[in-house]
Amino acid sequence: MGAKINVSIVVIAIYSLYYGYMSTARWSAIKRRSLRAKCAKESGDLETLQNSSPEEQFAVLVVGGRFANPFPEYRAQGILEFIVWKIFEVIRWNPRAGVPRDRTLLAELLPLFRPDFEVLFDTGNVVVTGGSDLKTESNPDLSPSGNASPIGLTSSVTSAVYYSSDTGSSTNIQLDSSTMADSWTPISQRYVMSARIPAGSQDAHSLSDASSNTTSSGLHSPIAGEATRGTVTSAGMPARDERLTITWIGQSCIFIQCHGINFLTDPLFCAHIINSYIGPKRLRPSPCQLEHLPRIDFVLVSHDHPDHFEDDTIKKIGNSATWIVPLGLRRYLARKGVFRVAELKWWDKIPLPGKERDGWEIACTPSMHWSGRHLFDKNKTLWCSFLILHNSRPVIFHAGDTGYSAELFRGISQVYGTGCEVALVPCGAYSPRWHLRPQHVDPAESVQIMIDLGAKRLVGVHWATFILSDEHYLEPKQKLEQEAVAVGLQDAVWAADFGRTIVVPYRSADEVGSGSDDDAVFRLPDASVSGVRRLRALEGRHTLIW
């Protein structure tokens, strides 16, 4: 017994010394960088000031052979906090996040939308077979106004081409109701996602009662929202080379199209993060599978956490796309047989492979988070965010996972400029704040990131996909919209819906004229003009045009 106690004391002592060293070394590096920047500003030394730019102040930091966060706002979390938190999760009695046990109710409150395959496949990668297996007649729960429900959208696109990296061949995937209809859930007028959460309530059944008695939907209700924002006909759809499309699959997995270039961020289509025995289980099925999407050109991976980097998708995509990843992930992909990889560190900027002449670039930018897929590999690989640029103009910002650091996000806009068309920022998995503040932003901080970046639009992601935190599962969407209203950006902020396709008109810098409404100068929320039009629904479908 005495020997076991002695061993335990030695292990605790070694861990304490290691943890203390890591924390002290990190803080020392932060202080040195901050002091250098302060002295440069006070002295006016241009050379020193240049060396204390955001790229220098927030350069990659390695302590003890592991990556570390060079942000003063970050608080390192030791194993003791992790153990205490897990024990607390197990022993508490209240249901977590208010998720209803009634799956029908959950489907009503978290609807899945059918991605707009007609828009997404406008890239030459689709094989169209006549007719449609997705008729409105198959949906018995259309709203009284006659708008098509997510599953009820009639489409001429019934098959897609998926390219296999293993064989080099293409496969025709049928998009019929037998394979996909079960994933799409029609919306009933009985429930709206903008329903208020009763004060102090963690019961989603209470939420449903409140919502059924609500006479007005919130700004971004999936039912009433389109009516209040107006609709446009298909003739109002921008051409492929004059639009961006954003389709949220779940968590931080987003299918993005820029001028016909296809990106997939933080791939995740599975029903469970780890496996069916351990979970966590997805609240709602993925609105589509990888095979249903157009061919992927680039995969952006922000870090290696299992809910952002799925092994099954790695195998399916293989070398058919270029993987753009932070330091350390090239080796992991190589073990999976994937070698078409661009590995970047913070502040690296490279032309998109194959798109050099078109002016497209990708910048690897910092984020405040951590990495690790197993028990002993914490921070062995880097984590990051990404900025897609066109002709040196910021177009799309993908935050991945991050806590909030004001200097960081202002620094990104200082280096690459403001006016980013869309910022894709997490808005969920933030409670309790004492535990999750260093690694996940809350809705108010999500909006603040948009302001710091000088972005035109914000799409909130990373919410209601899995239950990984304590806030009510519908709260991130509601709070994000409330925060946007509070700062006068309600037209420029949207909490994404599963599967719904959003279209953003976009023209490159050399195509922009001087008299168009789209060229209005973007201003921060203390000004009266944002230069962003209100979201409008495409007539006859749930696709939104911004």
Side-chain angles (χ1 to χ4, degrees):
M1 176 65 75
K4 291 182 179 179
I5 293 175
N6 290 335
V7 170
S8 299
I9 292 174
V10 170
V11 170
I12 293 173
I14 293 174
Y15 174 78
S16 299
L17 289 172
Y18 172 77
Y19 184 78
Y21 164 75
M22 296 287 286
S23 299
T24 302
R26 188 180 74 87
W27 272 107
S28 178
I30 291 172
K31 290 295 184 182
R32 285 197 305 271
R33 294 179 180 187
S34 298
L35 182 61
R36 186 162 55 241
K38 181 180 179 181
C39 292
K41 292 177 182 178
E42 292 175 351
S43 65
D45 184 346
L46 294 181
E47 183 178 354
T48 307
L49 186 60
Q50 184 178 6
N51 292 333
S52 62
S53 64
E55 296 104 314
E56 172 67 21
Q57 186 175 357
F58 301 127
V60 172
L61 177 61
V62 179
V63 177
R66 297 177 185 258
F67 295 102
N69 280 284
F71 315 107
E73 296 89 349
Y74 185 78
R75 177 178 63 81
Q77 299 171 326
I79 191 170
L80 180 61
E81 178 178 334
F82 177 80
I83 292 173
V84 169
W85 175 240
K86 289 303 177 184
I87 292 175
F88 178 73
E89 282 186 325
V90 171
I91 65 175
R92 61 185 169 183
W93 291 98
N94 59 305
R96 193 175 191 189
V99 177
R101 292 183 175 88
D102 184 346
R103 307 306 292 182
T104 302
L105 174 61
L106 181 63
E108 296 282 3
L109 294 172
L110 272 183
L112 299 181
F113 291 82
R114 177 189 183 280
D116 196 330
F117 295 113
E118 290 179 313
V119 172
L120 301 184
F121 276 102
D122 188 16
T123 60
N125 289 340
V126 65
V127 178
V128 178
T129 58
S132 172
D133 293 320
L134 302 173
K135 301 291 186 181
T136 54
E137 289 82 353
S138 66
N139 174 24
D141 195 18
L142 296 179
S143 64
S145 62
N147 293 331
S149 71
I151 194 175
L153 174 61
T154 302
S155 171
S156 62
V157 179
T158 61
S159 65
V161 172
Y162 173 69
Y163 293 82
S164 170
S165 62
D166 298 327
T167 63
S169 61
S170 60
T171 305
N172 189 18
I173 305 295
Q174 294 300 315
L175 306 179
D176 58 27
S177 57
S178 64
T179 59
M180 299 186 70
D182 291 341
S183 295
W184 300 322
T185 304
I187 305 172
S188 167
Q189 286 280 34
R190 183 181 173 194
Y191 302 112
V192 293
M193 291 179 67
S194 59
R196 293 183 177 275
I197 299 174
S201 172
Q202 294 296 319
D203 184 0
H205 289 279
S206 299
L207 177 61
S208 68
D209 294 339
S211 64
S212 62
N213 295 326
T214 304
T215 57
S216 62
S217 299
L219 289 171
H220 300 319
S221 162
I223 299 174
E226 285 80 3
T228 61
R229 286 187 295 276
T231 60
V232 293
T233 64
S234 57
M237 174 68 66
R240 184 193 69 171
D241 291 339
E242 294 183 354
R243 71 175 183 239
L244 315 174
T245 71
I246 297 165
T247 306
W248 185 46
I249 309 301
Q251 205 69 342
S252 290
C253 181
I254 307 150
F255 179 71
I256 303 168
Q257 289 182 323
C258 297
H259 282 217
I261 306 172
N262 298 328
F263 297 85
L264 185 67
T265 68
D266 291 354
L268 182 77
F269 295 86
C270 61
H272 303 84
I273 292 180
I274 301 176
N275 57 49
S276 59
Y277 299 102
I278 300 175
K281 185 179 179 180
R282 197 168 183 138
L283 289 185
R284 302 286 284 116
S286 175
C288 68
Q289 291 299 313
L290 175 68
E291 293 84 354
H292 303 140
L293 295 172
R295 177 181 179 176
I296 308 299
D297 298 309
F298 300 97
V299 185
L300 309 182
V301 180
S302 65
H303 61 297
D304 67 357
H305 283 162
D307 62 323
H308 291 255
F309 193 33
E310 181 183 64
D311 283 337
D312 286 347
T313 305
I314 296 174
K315 181 178 179 181
K316 288 180 180 179
I317 296 178
N319 292 292
S320 66
T322 298
W323 295 74
I324 302 177
V325 301
L327 290 178
L329 288 186
R330 180 195 295 273
R331 181 179 299 178
Y332 185 86
L333 286 169
R335 291 199 298 266
K336 302 288 184 180
V338 179
F339 304 100
R340 194 175 168 187
V341 179
E343 188 178 63
L344 308 177
K345 66 178 183 299
W346 293 348
W347 305 113
D348 280 349
K349 183 179 73 169
I350 62 170
L352 279 177
K355 304 295 178 181
E356 295 87 351
R357 294 184 179 180
D358 300 327
W360 289 97
E361 298 174 297
I362 185 78
C364 177
T365 48
S367 64
M368 193 169 83
H369 201 56
W370 59 287
S371 67
R373 294 177 75 83
H374 308 292
L375 187 60
F376 299 108
D377 66 343
K378 182 177 180 180
N379 295 349
K380 281 289 189 178
T381 62
L382 190 60
W383 51 95
C384 71
S385 54
F386 290 103
L387 191 61
I388 300 172
L389 302 105
H390 189 209
N391 296 332
S392 300
R393 173 186 174 191
V395 180
I396 290 183
F397 177 73
H398 168 53
D401 252 355
T402 185
Y404 179 71
S405 169
E407 287 190 79
L408 165 61
F409 295 106
R410 291 171 191 161
I412 292 174
S413 65
Q414 177 184 333
V415 172
Y416 297 110
T418 59
C420 174
E421 294 292 335
V422 183
L424 305 168
V425 181
C427 65
Y430 53 81
S431 179
R433 296 307 287 149
W434 66 266
H435 179 61
L436 292 174
R437 183 184 299 275
Q439 49 190 297
H440 289 158
V441 293
D442 62 19
E445 291 167 333
S446 301
V447 173
Q448 190 59 50
I449 288 175
M450 171 193 180
I451 295 171
D452 292 344
L453 292 173
K456 295 181 180 180
R457 303 168 182 85
L458 168 67
V459 176
V461 296
H462 200 278
W463 70 280
T465 310
F466 303 95
I467 296 303
L468 303 174
S469 55
D470 278 357
E471 75 273 2
H472 192 283
Y473 72 105
L474 296 179
E475 182 182 284
K477 180 181 180 73
Q478 298 179 20
K479 282 197 170 182
L480 188 71
E481 294 166 3
Q482 292 169 2
E483 294 294 339
V485 171
V487 296
L489 289 172
Q490 58 269 26
D491 290 341
V493 174
W494 172 261
D497 295 323
F498 293 120
R500 190 200 288 260
T501 298
I502 302 172
V503 179
V504 178
Y506 169 78
R507 288 179 293 165
S508 59
D510 54 356
E511 297 172 323
V512 173
S514 58
S516 170
D517 290 341
D518 292 335
D519 304 328
V521 176
F522 177 75
R523 302 177 185 176
L524 294 179
D526 57 347
S528 58
V529 178
S530 69
V532 174
R533 292 182 176 180
R534 304 187 74 184
L535 278 161
R536 297 158 293 162
L538 191 64
E539 187 177 24
R541 61 182 74 187
H542 286 268
T543 301
L544 299 179
I545 298 182
W546 215 332

